Amino acid sequence: MLYHLLYPLHVDYPVFNVFKYITFRTIYSVLTAMAIAFILGPWLIRLLSHYQIGQPVRDDGPQRHLVKRGTPTMGGVLILFAIVMPTLLWADLRNPYVWVVLVTVAGFGAVGFWDDYLKVIRKNPKGLSARRKFLGQVAVAGVVSVYLVASGFDTHLTIPFLKGQHVELGWLFIPFAVLVIVGASNAVNLTDGLDGLAIGPVMIAAGTYLLIVYLTGHAKFAAYLQIPYVAGVGELSILCGAMVGAAMGFLWFNTYPASVFMGDVGSLPLGAALGAIAVVSKHELLLVLVGGIFVIEAISVIGQVAYFKMTGKRIFLMAPIHHHFELKGWQEPKIIVRFWLIAIVLALLALSTLKLR
Ligand code: 57M
């Protein structure tokens, strides 16, 4: 909004020319998102506590989690507010990619809110059935993917390291994009099982894609790096900046020992946003590396369930893999910080592939 209100003033007042620059607006998007999360965080935690919107904790999990019972949850509403408001404030709202990701965030946020509402407020431990949750996710991701193809979005699949190698997916782009978005959403959801364990890598991944969308949306940089040029996708730097800022702000309260959990209303849209950003920036496969922690967590569950069904035995003491380390006796902060460090290494490796083509 500020872009539309203040940039035109540069004709008479040159100082407003600064609003043209994505870098300037991204920095202030990060800071605005952090400010919103810092300022509203304590108020929201008091509100959630007042209305006893506390986390139910399953009995069959690691015993040390039982002390977490009643921790205020659904803090994800704060994260979403701290992402959407700075984006509306600082981004060019005529940009279709900004709306593609905002609609994805809103849709997955609604699915997550519904699940949390049933679990936490209506005290139904099952929450939304897995089937309804999945259908809701596929519906939102499907709408967004069909819109992209219908609006002429490039449906070539780019492959990291292999410059110039493109696979034309055609209409298959739609199920592929749905798979990326829904997969990322559920992977972040599974990861969010220790204090700050999900929001840390989300911040790292959002920061990595901030750079990727900026380079992909810049004709000269894209040509130099021989990566796909997607005109206009650079505007998503502002939304990625808001994700980084919102994650930093939320982590202030979600760090061990957590005063608040994000709930599915946070984890589902955060993962879906990363998936959507990966799709529109044409760096979907790179998300496997950038979001490697989420991939490891999801694979640990898939492997555990499959192996258990086949043999009746477990690969891990418990899945997702963060519970395995808990049952091995690692303290929670040790697991969390080590996962963050791995996330940083994976992000650096992913960025290095932009040069290695
Ligand atoms: C998401 N949710 C946390 C919190 C957070 C198929 C199976 C693997 C599914 C999986 C599952 O239910 N995943 C759902 C994980 C939960 O966190 C809430 O959920 C939101 C995120 N979606 O925002 O609201 C618990 O995680 C802990 N937590 C923290 N700090 C945080 O900042 O400590 C969360 C955020 C919270 C809190 O204790 O209650 C969760 O773990 O449910 N199931 C599992 O993950 C279960 N694993 C399992 O069943 N493994 C089996 C098979 C099926 C693979 C096995 O290994 O044999 C574990 N989770 C729980 N209990 N809670 C173990 C059993």
Side-chain angles (χ1 to χ4, degrees), residues 55-58 60-62 65 68 73-74 116 119 189-190 192-197 254 258 260-264 267 301 304-305 308 314 316-320 322-323 332:
Q55 181 69 46
V57 175
R58 291 163 47 174
D60 61 347
H65 278 242
K68 296 170 182 263
T73 187
M74 296 182 73
D116 287 335
K119 255 188 264 182
N189 181 43
L190 285 170
D192 195 34
L194 296 179
D195 298 353
L197 187 67
N254 182 236
V260 64
F261 296 154
M262 69 172 76
D264 285 34
S267 59
V301 169
Q304 178 91 327
V305 172
F308 187 76
R314 287 180 161 81
F316 306 99
L317 296 175
M318 182 178 283
H322 55 259
H323 288 316
E332 186 165 347

Side-chain angles (χ1 to χ4, degrees), residues 4 30 63 66 68 99 101-102 127 135 149 173 178 263 276 285 345:
H4 301 285
V30 174
Q63 291 310 299
L66 296 177
K68 296 170 182 263
W99 289 108
V101 182
L102 284 180
L135 286 177
V149 173
F173 175 86
V178 168
L285 297 181
V345 169

Side-chain angles (χ1 to χ4, degrees), residues 21-230:
Y21 296 102
I22 286 176
T23 44
F24 173 81
R25 289 185 284 126
T26 297
I27 289 167
Y28 280 90
S29 179
V30 174
L31 296 175
T32 310
M34 277 180 70
I36 289 173
F38 277 133
I39 292 164
L40 295 182
W43 168 79
L44 179 71
I45 291 168
R46 282 197 303 274
L47 192 74
L48 294 172
S49 302
H50 175 71
Y51 288 103
Q52 295 179 341
I53 300 178
Q55 181 69 46
V57 175
R58 291 163 47 174
D59 297 328
D60 61 347
Q63 291 310 299
R64 69 175 78 163
H65 278 242
L66 296 177
V67 297
K68 296 170 182 263
R69 188 163 278 156
T71 304
T73 187
M74 296 182 73
V77 292
L78 174 66
I79 300 172
L80 301 190
F81 187 72
I83 290 173
V84 172
M85 294 315 288
T87 301
L88 295 177
L89 204 56
W90 296 101
D92 175 352
L93 301 182
R94 296 164 305 184
N95 185 291
Y97 299 119
V98 168
W99 289 108
V100 160
V101 182
L102 284 180
V103 165
T104 303
V105 166
F108 277 76
V111 173
F113 184 90
W114 190 7
D115 186 42
D116 287 335
Y117 173 79
L118 293 176
K119 255 188 264 182
V120 175
I121 296 168
R122 298 288 293 276
K123 310 289 182 209
N124 166 0
K126 288 250 178 287
L128 206 50
S129 71
R131 185 170 170 277
R132 280 191 171 181
K133 197 181 209 178
F134 181 69
L135 286 177
Q137 292 172 325
V138 169
V140 175
V143 164
V144 158
S145 307
V146 166
Y147 164 77
L148 283 171
V149 173
S151 61
F153 187 73
D154 174 11
T155 52
H156 282 89
L157 174 65
T158 49
I159 299 165
F161 301 108
L162 302 178
K163 285 189 188 291
Q165 297 297 320
H166 297 313
V167 177
E168 173 52 59
L169 293 177
W171 66 270
L172 283 175
F173 175 86
I174 293 171
F176 173 72
V178 168
L179 175 70
V180 171
I181 295 169
V182 173
S185 178
N186 287 300
V188 173
N189 181 43
L190 285 170
T191 305
D192 195 34
L194 296 179
D195 298 353
L197 187 67
I199 199 67
V202 162
M203 175 171 58
I204 294 161
T208 306
Y209 269 100
L210 190 162
L211 295 173
I212 290 171
V213 295
Y214 183 76
L215 295 170
T216 306
H218 197 293
K220 289 199 178 72
F221 286 138
Y224 168 70
L225 292 167
Q226 296 179 62
I227 57 178
Y229 168 58
V230 183

